[in-house]
Coordinates of all heavy atoms in Angstrom, one line a residue:
M1 N 0.8 -1.2 0.0 CA 0.0 0.0 0.0 C 0.9 1.2 0.0 O 1.8 1.4 0.8 CB -0.9 0.0 1.2 CG -1.7 1.3 1.4 SD -2.7 1.3 2.8 CE -4.1 0.3 2.2
P2 N 0.7 2.1 -0.9 CA 1.5 3.3 -1.0 C 1.3 4.3 0.2 O 0.2 4.3 0.8 CB 1.1 4.0 -2.3 CG -0.2 3.5 -2.6 CD -0.3 2.1 -2.0
N3 N 2.3 4.9 0.6 CA 2.3 5.9 1.7 C 1.8 7.2 1.1 O 2.4 7.8 0.3 CB 3.7 6.1 2.3 CG 3.7 7.0 3.4 OD1 2.7 7.8 3.6 ND2 4.7 7.0 4.2
L4 N 0.6 7.7 1.5 CA 0.0 8.9 1.0 C 0.2 10.1 1.9 O -0.5 11.1 1.8 CB -1.5 8.6 0.7 CG -1.7 7.5 -0.3 CD1 -3.2 7.3 -0.5 CD2 -1.1 7.8 -1.7
S5 N 1.0 9.9 3.0 CA 1.2 11.0 3.9 C 1.9 12.2 3.3 O 2.5 12.1 2.3 CB 2.0 10.5 5.2 OG 3.3 10.4 4.8
S6 N 1.8 13.3 4.0 CA 2.5 14.5 3.6 C 4.0 14.4 3.6 O 4.7 15.2 3.1 CB 2.0 15.7 4.4 OG 2.3 15.5 5.7
Q7 N 4.5 13.4 4.4 CA 5.9 13.2 4.5 C 6.6 12.5 3.3 O 7.8 12.5 3.2 CB 6.3 12.4 5.8 CG 5.9 13.1 7.0 CD 6.7 14.4 7.3 OE1 7.9 14.4 7.1 NE2 6.0 15.4 7.6
R8 N 5.7 12.0 2.4 CA 6.3 11.2 1.3 C 7.2 12.1 0.5 O 6.9 13.2 0.1 CB 5.1 10.7 0.4 CG 5.7 9.8 -0.7 CD 4.6 8.9 -1.2 NE 5.3 7.9 -2.0 CZ 4.9 7.5 -3.2 NH1 3.9 8.0 -3.7 NH2 5.6 6.6 -3.8
Q9 N 8.4 11.5 0.2 CA 9.4 12.2 -0.6 C 9.9 13.5 0.0 O 10.4 14.3 -0.8 CB 8.9 12.3 -2.1 CG 8.6 11.0 -2.8 CD 9.9 10.1 -2.9 OE1 10.9 10.6 -3.4 NE2 9.8 8.9 -2.4
N10 N 9.8 13.6 1.3 CA 10.4 14.7 2.0 C 11.9 14.7 1.7 O 12.5 13.6 1.8 CB 10.1 14.6 3.5 CG 10.8 15.7 4.3 OD1 12.0 15.6 4.5 ND2 10.0 16.6 4.8
P11 N 12.6 15.8 1.4 CA 14.0 15.7 1.0 C 14.9 15.1 2.1 O 15.9 14.5 1.8 CB 14.3 17.2 0.8 CG 13.1 17.9 0.4 CD 12.0 17.1 1.2
Q12 N 14.5 15.3 3.4 CA 15.3 14.8 4.5 C 15.2 13.2 4.5 O 16.1 12.5 4.8 CB 14.9 15.4 5.8 CG 15.3 16.9 5.9 CD 14.8 17.5 7.1 OE1 13.6 17.3 7.5 NE2 15.6 18.4 7.7
L13 N 13.9 12.8 4.3 CA 13.7 11.3 4.3 C 14.4 10.7 3.1 O 15.0 9.6 3.2 CB 12.2 11.0 4.3 CG 11.4 11.4 5.5 CD1 10.0 11.1 5.3 CD2 12.0 10.8 6.7
V14 N 14.4 11.3 2.0 CA 15.1 10.8 0.8 C 16.6 10.8 1.0 O 17.3 9.8 0.7 CB 14.8 11.7 -0.5 CG1 15.7 11.3 -1.7 CG2 13.3 11.6 -0.8
A15 N 17.2 11.8 1.6 CA 18.6 11.9 2.0 C 19.0 10.7 2.9 O 20.0 10.1 2.8 CB 19.0 13.2 2.6
L16 N 18.1 10.5 3.9 CA 18.4 9.4 4.9 C 18.3 8.1 4.1 O 19.2 7.2 4.3 CB 17.3 9.5 6.0 CG 17.4 8.4 7.0 CD1 18.8 8.4 7.7 CD2 16.3 8.5 8.0
G17 N 17.3 7.9 3.3 CA 17.2 6.6 2.5 C 18.4 6.4 1.6 O 18.9 5.3 1.5
N18 N 18.9 7.5 1.0 CA 20.0 7.4 0.1 C 21.3 7.0 0.9 O 22.1 6.2 0.5 CB 20.3 8.7 -0.6 CG 19.2 8.9 -1.7 OD1 18.6 8.0 -2.2 ND2 19.1 10.2 -2.1
A19 N 21.4 7.6 2.1 CA 22.6 7.2 3.0 C 22.5 5.8 3.4 O 23.6 5.1 3.4 CB 22.6 8.2 4.2
I20 N 21.4 5.3 3.8 CA 21.2 3.9 4.2 C 21.6 3.0 3.0 O 22.4 2.1 3.1 CB 19.8 3.6 4.6 CG1 19.5 4.3 6.0 CG2 19.5 2.1 4.7 CD1 18.1 4.3 6.4
K21 N 21.1 3.3 1.8 CA 21.4 2.5 0.6 C 22.9 2.5 0.3 O 23.5 1.5 0.0 CB 20.5 3.0 -0.6 CG 20.7 2.1 -1.8 CD 19.8 2.6 -2.9 CE 19.9 1.7 -4.1 NZ 19.0 2.1 -5.2
R22 N 23.5 3.7 0.4 CA 24.9 3.9 0.0 C 25.7 3.0 1.0 O 26.6 2.3 0.5 CB 25.3 5.4 0.1 CG 26.7 5.7 -0.3 CD 27.0 7.2 -0.4 NE 26.5 8.0 0.7 CZ 25.5 8.8 0.7 NH1 24.7 8.9 -0.3 NH2 25.2 9.5 1.8
I23 N 25.5 3.1 2.3 CA 26.2 2.3 3.3 C 26.0 0.8 3.0 O 26.9 0.0 3.1 CB 25.9 2.7 4.7 CG1 26.3 4.2 5.0 CG2 26.5 1.8 5.7 CD1 25.8 4.8 6.2
R24 N 24.7 0.5 2.8 CA 24.4 -0.9 2.5 C 25.2 -1.5 1.3 O 25.8 -2.6 1.4 CB 22.9 -1.1 2.3 CG 22.5 -2.5 1.9 CD 21.0 -2.6 1.7 NE 20.4 -1.8 0.6 CZ 20.5 -2.2 -0.6 NH1 21.1 -3.2 -1.0 NH2 19.9 -1.4 -1.6
L25 N 25.2 -0.7 0.2 CA 25.9 -1.2 -1.0 C 27.4 -1.2 -0.7 O 28.1 -2.1 -1.3 CB 25.6 -0.3 -2.2 CG 24.1 -0.4 -2.6 CD1 23.8 0.6 -3.7 CD2 23.8 -1.8 -3.1
E26 N 28.0 -0.2 0.0 CA 29.4 -0.2 0.3 C 29.8 -1.5 1.1 O 30.9 -2.0 0.9 CB 29.8 1.0 1.1 CG 29.8 2.3 0.4 CD 30.0 3.5 1.3 OE1 30.1 3.4 2.5 OE2 30.0 4.6 0.7
N27 N 28.9 -2.0 1.9 CA 29.1 -3.2 2.7 C 28.7 -4.5 2.0 O 28.7 -5.5 2.6 CB 28.4 -3.1 4.1 CG 29.1 -2.0 4.9 OD1 30.3 -2.2 5.2 ND2 28.4 -1.0 5.3
K28 N 28.2 -4.3 0.7 CA 27.8 -5.5 -0.1 C 26.7 -6.3 0.6 O 26.8 -7.5 0.7 CB 29.0 -6.3 -0.5 CG 30.0 -5.6 -1.3 CD 31.2 -6.4 -1.7 CE 32.1 -5.8 -2.6 NZ 33.0 -4.8 -2.1
I29 N 25.7 -5.6 1.2 CA 24.6 -6.2 1.9 C 23.4 -6.0 1.0 O 23.1 -4.9 0.6 CB 24.4 -5.6 3.2 CG1 25.6 -5.7 4.1 CG2 23.2 -6.2 3.9 CD1 25.5 -4.9 5.4
S30 N 22.7 -7.1 0.8 CA 21.4 -7.0 0.0 C 20.4 -6.3 0.9 O 20.5 -6.3 2.1 CB 20.9 -8.3 -0.4 OG 20.4 -9.1 0.7
Q31 N 19.4 -5.7 0.2 CA 18.3 -5.1 1.0 C 17.6 -6.1 1.9 O 17.2 -5.8 3.0 CB 17.3 -4.5 0.0 CG 16.3 -3.5 0.6 CD 15.4 -2.9 -0.4 OE1 14.6 -3.6 -0.9 NE2 15.7 -1.6 -0.7
E32 N 17.4 -7.3 1.4 CA 16.8 -8.4 2.1 C 17.6 -8.7 3.4 O 17.1 -8.9 4.5 CB 16.6 -9.6 1.3 CG 15.8 -10.7 2.0 CD 15.5 -11.9 1.0 OE1 15.9 -11.9 -0.1 OE2 14.7 -12.7 1.5
K33 N 18.9 -8.9 3.2 CA 19.8 -9.2 4.3 C 19.8 -8.1 5.4 O 19.7 -8.4 6.6 CB 21.2 -9.5 3.9 CG 22.1 -10.0 4.9 CD 23.4 -10.5 4.4 CE 24.2 -11.2 5.5 NZ 25.5 -11.7 4.9
L34 N 19.8 -6.8 4.9 CA 19.7 -5.7 5.9 C 18.4 -5.8 6.6 O 18.4 -5.6 7.9 CB 19.8 -4.4 5.1 CG 19.7 -3.1 6.0 CD1 20.7 -3.1 7.1 CD2 19.8 -1.9 5.1
A35 N 17.3 -6.0 5.9 CA 16.0 -6.1 6.6 C 16.0 -7.2 7.6 O 15.5 -7.0 8.8 CB 14.9 -6.3 5.6
L36 N 16.6 -8.4 7.3 CA 16.6 -9.5 8.2 C 17.4 -9.1 9.5 O 17.0 -9.4 10.6 CB 17.2 -10.7 7.6 CG 16.3 -11.4 6.6 CD1 17.1 -12.5 5.9 CD2 15.1 -12.1 7.4
R37 N 18.6 -8.5 9.2 CA 19.4 -8.1 10.4 C 18.7 -7.1 11.3 O 18.9 -7.1 12.5 CB 20.7 -7.4 9.8 CG 21.7 -8.4 9.3 CD 23.0 -7.6 8.9 NE 24.0 -8.5 8.3 CZ 25.1 -8.0 7.9 NH1 25.5 -6.8 8.0 NH2 26.0 -8.9 7.3
A38 N 18.0 -6.2 10.7 CA 17.3 -5.1 11.4 C 15.9 -5.6 12.0 O 15.2 -4.8 12.6 CB 17.1 -3.9 10.6
E39 N 15.6 -6.8 11.6 CA 14.3 -7.4 12.0 C 13.1 -6.6 11.5 O 12.2 -6.2 12.2 CB 14.2 -7.5 13.5 CG 15.2 -8.5 14.1 CD 15.2 -8.6 15.6 OE1 14.6 -7.7 16.3 OE2 15.8 -9.5 16.1
L40 N 13.2 -6.2 10.2 CA 12.2 -5.4 9.5 C 11.8 -6.2 8.2 O 12.5 -7.0 7.7 CB 12.7 -4.1 9.1 CG 13.2 -3.2 10.2 CD1 14.0 -2.0 9.7 CD2 12.1 -2.7 11.1
D41 N 10.6 -5.8 7.7 CA 10.1 -6.4 6.5 C 10.9 -5.8 5.3 O 11.2 -4.6 5.3 CB 8.6 -6.1 6.3 CG 8.0 -6.7 5.1 OD1 7.8 -8.0 5.2 OD2 7.8 -6.0 4.1
R42 N 11.3 -6.7 4.3 CA 12.1 -6.2 3.2 C 11.4 -5.1 2.5 O 12.0 -4.1 2.0 CB 12.4 -7.3 2.3 CG 13.5 -6.9 1.3 CD 13.3 -7.3 -0.1 NE 12.0 -7.2 -0.7 CZ 11.5 -6.1 -1.3 NH1 12.2 -5.0 -1.4 NH2 10.3 -6.2 -1.8
S43 N 10.0 -5.2 2.3 CA 9.3 -4.1 1.6 C 9.4 -2.8 2.3 O 9.4 -1.7 1.7 CB 7.9 -4.5 1.2 OG 7.2 -4.8 2.4
Y44 N 9.3 -2.9 3.7 CA 9.4 -1.7 4.5 C 10.8 -1.0 4.3 O 10.9 0.2 4.1 CB 9.2 -2.0 6.0 CG 9.3 -0.8 6.9 CD1 8.3 0.1 7.0 CD2 10.5 -0.6 7.6 CE1 8.4 1.2 7.8 CE2 10.7 0.5 8.4 CZ 9.6 1.4 8.5 OH 9.8 2.5 9.3
M45 N 11.8 -1.9 4.3 CA 13.2 -1.4 4.1 C 13.3 -0.7 2.7 O 13.9 0.4 2.7 CB 14.2 -2.6 4.1 CG 15.6 -2.3 4.3 SD 16.0 -1.7 5.9 CE 16.3 0.0 5.5
G46 N 12.7 -1.2 1.7 CA 12.7 -0.5 0.4 C 12.0 0.8 0.5 O 12.5 1.8 -0.1
R47 N 10.9 0.9 1.2 CA 10.2 2.2 1.3 C 11.1 3.2 2.1 O 11.1 4.4 1.8 CB 8.9 2.0 2.0 CG 7.9 1.3 1.1 CD 6.4 1.4 1.7 NE 6.3 0.8 3.0 CZ 6.1 -0.4 3.3 NH1 6.0 -1.4 2.4 NH2 6.0 -0.8 4.6
V48 N 11.8 2.7 3.1 CA 12.7 3.6 3.8 C 13.8 4.1 2.9 O 14.1 5.3 2.9 CB 13.3 2.9 5.0 CG1 14.5 3.7 5.7 CG2 12.3 2.6 6.1
E49 N 14.4 3.2 2.1 CA 15.5 3.7 1.2 C 15.0 4.6 0.1 O 15.7 5.5 -0.3 CB 16.1 2.4 0.5 CG 17.0 1.7 1.5 CD 17.9 0.6 0.8 OE1 17.7 0.5 -0.5 OE2 18.7 0.0 1.5
R50 N 13.7 4.5 -0.2 CA 13.1 5.5 -1.2 C 12.7 6.8 -0.6 O 12.3 7.7 -1.3 CB 12.0 4.8 -1.9 CG 12.3 3.7 -2.9 CD 11.2 3.3 -3.8 NE 10.0 2.9 -3.0 CZ 9.8 1.7 -2.5 NH1 10.7 0.8 -2.7 NH2 8.7 1.4 -1.8
G51 N 12.7 6.9 0.7 CA 12.2 8.1 1.4 C 10.7 8.1 1.5 O 10.1 9.2 1.7
D52 N 10.0 7.0 1.4 CA 8.6 6.9 1.4 C 8.0 6.8 2.9 O 6.9 7.0 3.1 CB 8.0 5.8 0.6 CG 8.1 6.0 -0.9 OD1 8.3 7.2 -1.3 OD2 8.0 5.0 -1.6
N53 N 8.9 6.5 3.8 CA 8.4 6.3 5.2 C 9.2 7.2 6.2 O 10.4 7.3 6.0 CB 8.7 4.8 5.7 CG 7.6 3.9 5.2 OD1 7.6 3.5 4.0 ND2 6.6 3.7 6.0
N54 N 8.5 7.8 7.1 CA 9.1 8.5 8.1 C 9.4 7.6 9.2 O 8.6 7.1 10.0 CB 8.1 9.6 8.7 CG 8.7 10.6 9.6 OD1 9.9 10.5 9.9 ND2 7.9 11.5 10.1
V55 N 10.7 7.3 9.3 CA 11.2 6.2 10.2 C 11.2 6.6 11.6 O 11.7 7.7 12.0 CB 12.6 5.8 9.7 CG1 13.1 4.6 10.5 CG2 12.7 5.5 8.3
A56 N 10.7 5.8 12.5 CA 10.8 6.0 14.0 C 12.2 5.9 14.4 O 13.0 5.1 13.8 CB 9.9 5.0 14.7
L57 N 12.5 6.6 15.5 CA 13.9 6.6 16.0 C 14.4 5.2 16.4 O 15.5 4.8 16.0 CB 14.0 7.5 17.2 CG 15.3 7.6 17.9 CD1 16.4 8.2 16.9 CD2 15.3 8.5 19.1
L58 N 13.6 4.4 17.0 CA 14.0 3.1 17.4 C 14.3 2.2 16.2 O 15.2 1.4 16.2 CB 13.0 2.4 18.4 CG 12.9 3.1 19.7 CD1 11.8 2.4 20.6 CD2 14.2 3.1 20.4
T59 N 13.5 2.4 15.1 CA 13.7 1.6 13.9 C 15.0 2.1 13.2 O 15.7 1.2 12.7 CB 12.5 1.8 13.0 OG1 11.3 1.4 13.6 CG2 12.6 1.0 11.7
L60 N 15.2 3.3 13.2 CA 16.4 3.9 12.6 C 17.7 3.3 13.4 O 18.7 3.0 12.8 CB 16.4 5.4 12.7 CG 17.5 6.1 11.8 CD1 17.4 5.6 10.4 CD2 17.3 7.6 11.9
A61 N 17.5 3.2 14.7 CA 18.6 2.7 15.5 C 18.9 1.2 15.1 O 20.0 0.8 15.1 CB 18.3 2.8 17.0
K62 N 17.8 0.5 14.9 CA 18.0 -0.9 14.4 C 18.7 -1.0 13.1 O 19.5 -1.9 12.9 CB 16.6 -1.6 14.3 CG 15.9 -2.0 15.5 CD 14.6 -2.7 15.2 CE 14.0 -3.4 16.3 NZ 12.7 -4.1 15.9
I63 N 18.3 -0.1 12.2 CA 18.9 -0.1 10.8 C 20.4 0.2 11.0 O 21.3 -0.4 10.3 CB 18.2 0.9 9.9 CG1 16.8 0.4 9.6 CG2 19.0 1.1 8.6 CD1 15.9 1.4 8.9
A64 N 20.7 1.2 11.8 CA 22.1 1.6 12.0 C 22.9 0.4 12.5 O 24.0 0.1 12.1 CB 22.2 2.8 12.9
A65 N 22.4 -0.2 13.5 CA 23.1 -1.4 14.1 C 23.2 -2.5 13.1 O 24.3 -3.1 13.1 CB 22.3 -1.9 15.3
A66 N 22.2 -2.7 12.3 CA 22.3 -3.8 11.2 C 23.4 -3.4 10.2 O 24.0 -4.3 9.6 CB 21.0 -4.0 10.6
L67 N 23.7 -2.1 10.0 CA 24.7 -1.7 9.1 C 26.1 -1.6 9.8 O 27.1 -1.3 9.1 CB 24.3 -0.3 8.5 CG 23.2 -0.3 7.5 CD1 22.8 1.2 7.2 CD2 23.6 -1.0 6.2
D68 N 26.1 -1.8 11.1 CA 27.3 -1.8 11.9 C 27.9 -0.4 11.9 O 29.1 -0.2 11.8 CB 28.3 -2.8 11.5 CG 29.3 -3.1 12.5 OD1 29.0 -3.0 13.7 OD2 30.5 -3.4 12.2
V69 N 27.0 0.6 12.0 CA 27.4 2.0 12.1 C 26.6 2.6 13.3 O 25.6 2.1 13.7 CB 27.2 2.9 10.8 CG1 28.0 2.3 9.7 CG2 25.7 2.9 10.5
T70 N 27.1 3.8 13.8 CA 26.3 4.4 14.8 C 25.2 5.2 14.2 O 25.2 5.6 13.0 CB 27.2 5.4 15.6 OG1 27.7 6.4 14.7 CG2 28.4 4.7 16.3
L71 N 24.2 5.5 15.0 CA 23.1 6.4 14.6 C 23.6 7.7 14.1 O 23.2 8.3 13.1 CB 22.1 6.5 15.7 CG 20.7 7.1 15.3 CD1 20.1 6.5 14.1 CD2 19.8 7.1 16.5
S72 N 24.6 8.3 14.9 CA 25.1 9.6 14.5 C 25.8 9.5 13.2 O 25.8 10.5 12.4 CB 26.0 10.2 15.6 OG 27.1 9.3 15.8
H73 N 26.6 8.4 12.9 CA 27.3 8.3 11.6 C 26.2 8.3 10.5 O 26.4 8.9 9.4 CB 28.1 7.0 11.6 CG 28.8 6.8 10.3 ND1 29.9 7.4 9.9 CD2 28.4 5.9 9.3 CE1 30.2 7.0 8.7 NE2 29.3 6.1 8.3
L74 N 25.2 7.5 10.7 CA 24.1 7.4 9.6 C 23.5 8.8 9.3 O 23.4 9.2 8.2 CB 23.1 6.4 10.1 CG 21.9 6.1 9.1 CD1 22.5 5.6 7.8 CD2 21.0 5.1 9.7
L75 N 23.2 9.5 10.4 CA 22.6 10.9 10.2 C 23.6 11.8 9.5 O 23.3 12.6 8.7 CB 22.1 11.4 11.5 CG 21.0 10.7 12.1 CD1 20.7 11.2 13.5 CD2 19.7 10.8 11.2
K76 N 24.9 11.7 9.9 CA 25.9 12.5 9.3 C 26.1 12.2 7.8 O 26.2 13.1 7.0 CB 27.3 12.3 10.0 CG 28.4 13.2 9.5 CD 29.7 13.0 10.3 CE 30.8 13.9 9.7 NZ 32.0 13.7 10.4
E77 N 26.0 10.9 7.5 CA 26.1 10.5 6.0 C 24.9 11.1 5.2 O 25.0 11.4 4.1 CB 26.0 9.0 5.9 CG 27.3 8.3 6.2 CD 28.4 8.6 5.2 OE1 28.1 8.4 4.0 OE2 29.5 8.9 5.5
A78 N 23.8 11.3 5.9 CA 22.6 11.9 5.3 C 22.6 13.4 5.3 O 21.7 14.1 4.9 CB 21.3 11.3 5.9
N79 N 23.7 14.0 5.9 CA 23.8 15.4 6.1 C 22.6 16.0 6.9 O 22.0 17.0 6.6 CB 23.9 16.2 4.8 CG 25.2 15.9 4.1 OD1 26.2 15.9 4.7 ND2 25.1 15.6 2.8
L80 N 22.2 15.2 8.0 CA 21.1 15.7 8.8 C 21.6 16.0 10.2 O 22.5 15.6 10.7 CB 20.0 14.6 8.9 CG 19.4 14.2 7.6 CD1 18.4 13.0 7.8 CD2 18.6 15.3 7.1

């Protein structure tokens, strides 16, 4: 189901998603493997990487841990 919220494609969410994807690809991790590591659904992970979801802080912390980076590093990569 598409996200029809006003947050969809917010530039900050897109930047965050791009940073997650960039780190994931640098570490040669598939989107599915990242989702499994973070205990998230793969389709949800895809929406996060596209900037379609406004990610909760605890979920973002799970993603950072699954990428083996700190939350602050992830936000810095996204210039946030």
Side-chain angles (χ1 to χ4, degrees):
M1 174 181 280
N3 181 344
L4 302 177
S5 76
S6 61
Q7 295 297 314
R8 185 159 195 227
Q9 296 299 304
N10 175 288
Q12 292 171 319
L13 295 178
V14 172
L16 179 60
N18 288 337
I20 291 168
K21 184 175 182 178
R22 186 171 48 253
I23 294 169
R24 176 177 63 77
L25 293 174
E26 285 172 3
N27 289 301
K28 298 178 173 77
I29 301 170
S30 70
Q31 193 177 76
E32 184 174 7
K33 188 171 185 174
L34 175 59
L36 286 171
R37 285 183 181 180
E39 300 177 341
L40 300 170
D41 184 76
R42 195 226 36 93
S43 62
Y44 178 81
M45 193 72 251
R47 290 191 304 273
V48 169
E49 285 190 359
R50 288 191 305 276
D52 288 343
N53 279 83
N54 189 359
V55 185
L57 180 61
L58 294 177
T59 301
L60 192 55
K62 283 182 170 183
I63 294 169
L67 289 168
D68 199 28
V69 297
T70 64
L71 189 52
S72 60
H73 176 78
L74 183 56
L75 293 173
K76 184 176 179 183
E77 282 291 311
N79 293 315
L80 297 175

